Amino acid sequence: MAACGGCRFFVLTLRTLSGTSRSASPCTLPLTKHRTLSTSARSYSLDGSRKTPAQVGKPERISLSSGSLQRNLSAVAVPLQGQFRPLCRYDPLDLGDVDENTQKALACKHLRRFIVDPALAQIVTDHLAGDIDEGKAVIFECNPGPGVLTRALLNRGAQRVVALESDTNFLPELKRLENKLEGQLDVVHCDFFKLDPIGNGSMKPPVMYSEKLFSDLAISEVPWSADVPVKVVGIFSKRNEKNLMWKLIYNLFERHSIFHYGRVELIMFISQKEYAKLVTCPRNYKNYQAFGVLWQMACDIELLHEEPLSSFLTVTKKNAKSSSKNTQSQSDNLCLVRITPREDLFNSHLTPLNGSTLVLMVKQCLAKRKRRLIEQINSWSPGSGSELISKLGLTDNTMTGDVYPDEFKHLFELMEQSGNFAESWLYEETLETIKTGLA
């Protein structure tokens, strides 16, 4: 009987444990509950911010595994994480409204353009969807101001955004946003358009050397043949737009500044006037200039979007909105353009060491676009023009304004291979021009 009592006690114990296990099961069910959001083209979250089609229609599932639970924490679980907010498309950051963002942007002390409309920020992020989904490149945002596009990029799923802000008025709010996130945002007091000024010595923010910027962000140099390491997003300054682009093209051919770290891609708003010059084809003798030839030679250029200037907030030095004309012409539009340096730009004959020489060659050729190319070549090396023209498959009557960007590059490579051109062939002509102007 003792044995039977022991068996009975053992069976009762098992039933008790089994009952405990079953009673605990309902507590785990809410963890596997699915929440599905609306799939309409324009959906809004509970806080009023608009969500893109890519952000809606997918259920949020909180997994029982600790790894999945960590990745899918919602806003409800934020207190468990302390002050940090994990990246989650189903808990978007508030983009504010136009009036609120405008008031914040008016704190700017300089002439600048801002994106203050969440709808425009959404358009930009829609065009960057593929870049964000790849997640391979760091996104540099130039002068985010009130941070409308910054938040839109993070809501879209950008893994790492670096906000380069030059105006100290915008830094506190951007820093607060940075502190709420888990490494998705870095805020730096820096003016992208003033990187690497001429001269040496210590620099004070927002002026900065790219070497310090990339070092502080732990972004290393990659080979030119590697994937794009950084994508720069922003709006070119109205005041000195073309000068900035000239500075960038010199840096590109010399692999200096940001291009020292690889094929940095530009996704920028530029004026329609400068965009037209950027993509002008040969035989348009008025607008076909060295500026566009060099960019076409070095990069793939893609027009992503065109937006009326009235969609942006332009702030003057007096901290007031600039007046806009009642009628908008084509020249009032801004073009969102993707500029990607070509992987095959450099070779054994065109290197960063002689890249600036190529720039000078193209500038001299297109200074007079109706001059015969053979005459220009002979001015550098008498008697060499006919041979080089033949190798290019051109005729003796070809004008410099008829030559395509890849043909200019091929011409330079042929000249580099030839023994008829001294190292100073271009600089001698430049010096003669300067002397003549001074006389």
Side-chain angles (χ1 to χ4, degrees):
M1 294 296 295
C4 293
C7 292
R8 186 179 300 109
F9 176 77
F10 180 72
V11 171
L12 289 173
T13 301
L14 286 176
R15 288 177 177 174
T16 302
L17 291 174
S18 176
T20 302
S21 177
R22 287 194 298 269
S23 64
S25 298
C27 298
T28 64
L29 291 178
L31 290 177
T32 60
K33 182 179 180 180
H34 289 65
R35 181 180 62 177
T36 304
L37 304 180
S38 171
T39 57
S40 61
R42 291 192 175 186
S43 300
Y44 293 78
S45 65
L46 294 178
D47 63 3
S49 58
R50 191 175 70 185
K51 304 179 75 64
T52 66
Q55 293 174 315
V56 297
K58 294 182 179 180
E60 178 184 11
R61 182 184 180 92
I62 301 178
S63 172
L64 291 175
S65 65
S66 59
S68 299
L69 181 61
Q70 181 69 22
R71 289 192 298 272
N72 293 281
L73 283 170
S74 66
V76 179
V78 170
L80 300 177
Q81 294 290 302
Q83 63 176 344
F84 299 108
R85 173 192 182 279
L87 180 65
C88 182
R89 294 188 184 183
Y90 304 115
D91 176 31
L93 296 163
D94 182 15
L95 302 186
D97 58 39
V98 175
D99 292 338
E100 175 188 0
N101 297 330
T102 297
Q103 289 303 313
K104 292 178 180 179
L106 289 177
C108 181
K109 301 176 182 178
H110 309 285
L111 175 62
R112 269 174 56 179
R113 288 177 176 143
F114 295 95
I115 294 177
V116 294
D117 188 346
L120 178 55
Q122 186 65 59
I123 289 173
V124 176
T125 55
D126 285 347
H127 285 290
L128 300 181
D131 306 274
I132 294 172
D133 291 341
E134 288 178 2
K136 297 178 182 178
V138 180
I139 296 178
F140 281 10
E141 185 189 0
C142 306
N143 288 333
V148 182
L149 180 57
T150 312
R151 290 171 170 82
L153 289 168
L154 293 167
N155 286 347
R156 183 60 183 78
Q159 296 298 310
R160 189 181 184 192
V161 176
V162 178
L164 304 177
E165 178 53 58
S166 60
D167 194 322
T168 55
N169 287 296
F170 300 114
L171 291 176
E173 185 171 349
L174 290 170
K175 283 288 187 181
R176 285 194 291 271
L177 178 60
E178 177 187 29
N179 293 335
K180 293 178 182 179
L181 301 172
E182 294 183 343
Q184 289 95 41
L185 176 65
D186 294 289
V187 178
V188 183
H189 185 201
C190 171
D191 189 341
F192 173 80
F193 303 112
K194 293 183 179 179
L195 280 176
D196 301 304
I198 297 175
N200 297 312
S202 60
M203 294 291 166
K204 295 182 179 180
V207 181
M208 186 180 293
Y209 289 119
S210 57
E211 181 179 3
K212 173 174 172 53
L213 174 63
F214 278 72
S215 175
D216 291 348
L217 295 171
I219 300 176
S220 303
E221 174 189 356
V222 298
W224 191 257
S225 58
D227 290 334
V228 171
V230 172
K231 297 175 184 286
V232 183
V233 180
I235 307 172
F236 273 113
S237 170
K238 173 184 177 182
R239 182 175 54 186
N240 54 354
E241 180 180 41
K242 191 161 188 176
N243 290 337
L244 291 170
M245 294 199 70
W246 267 115
K247 178 183 177 182
L248 286 169
I249 198 63
Y250 268 105
N251 287 337
L252 197 161
F253 275 98
E254 295 176 348
R255 279 209 64 181
H256 180 60
S257 187
I258 59 173
F259 299 106
H260 172 76
Y261 297 88
R263 294 187 300 119
V264 174
E265 183 177 83
L266 306 174
I267 307 175
M268 305 289 291
F269 277 105
I270 67 174
S271 66
Q272 190 179 48
K273 177 181 177 182
E274 295 305 327
Y275 172 70
K277 294 177 181 178
L278 198 67
V279 296
T280 299
C281 296
R283 298 180 181 83
N284 182 340
Y285 298 118
K286 180 180 179 180
N287 295 318
Y288 193 57
Q289 302 173 11
F291 172 77
V293 169
L294 291 166
W295 278 109
Q296 291 179 47
M297 183 189 304
C299 303
D300 293 319
I301 302 173
E302 178 186 3
L303 176 63
L304 300 178
H305 180 71
E306 193 168 332
E307 186 73 20
L309 181 58
S310 58
S311 299
F312 301 82
L313 173 69
T314 302
V315 177
T316 66
K317 294 181 180 179
K318 297 181 181 179
N319 289 349
K321 287 194 297 182
S322 66
S323 60
S324 58
K325 298 180 181 179
N326 294 329
T327 57
Q328 296 286 329
S329 64
Q330 282 190 328
S331 60
D332 291 322
N333 293 344
L334 294 186
C335 300
L336 182 62
V337 182
R338 182 194 301 275
I339 304 175
T340 311
R342 290 200 174 96
E343 185 178 340
D344 61 352
L345 174 61
F346 297 107
N347 51 47
S348 59
H349 302 297
L350 174 58
T351 70
L353 297 177
N354 62 12
S356 59
T357 306
L358 169 62
V359 174
L360 286 174
M361 184 204 81
V362 173
K363 290 180 72 173
Q364 288 187 22
C365 281
L366 293 173
K368 297 180 180 179
R369 291 176 283 283
K370 291 187 178 182
R371 183 182 185 181
R372 292 198 303 163
L373 180 62
I374 190 172
E375 294 175 357
Q376 181 67 68
I377 298 173
N378 285 333
S379 71
W380 296 324
S381 178
S384 299
S386 181
E387 179 184 357
L388 294 181
I389 288 290
S390 177
K391 289 183 178 180
L392 287 172
L394 303 176
T395 67
D396 290 352
N397 293 325
T398 301
M399 305 293 184
T400 58
D402 300 335
V403 181
Y404 283 85
D406 60 327
E407 292 173 332
F408 275 118
K409 181 184 178 185
H410 191 195
L411 171 61
F412 178 79
E413 293 168 349
L414 291 173
M415 294 168 70
E416 284 292 298
Q417 296 176 55
S418 171
N420 298 329
F421 295 86
E423 292 182 358
S424 60
W425 54 278
L426 278 175
Y427 297 99
E428 288 177 355
E429 180 173 329
T430 303
L431 289 173
E432 287 298 323
T433 303
I434 293 173
K435 292 177 181 177
T436 302
L438 294 175

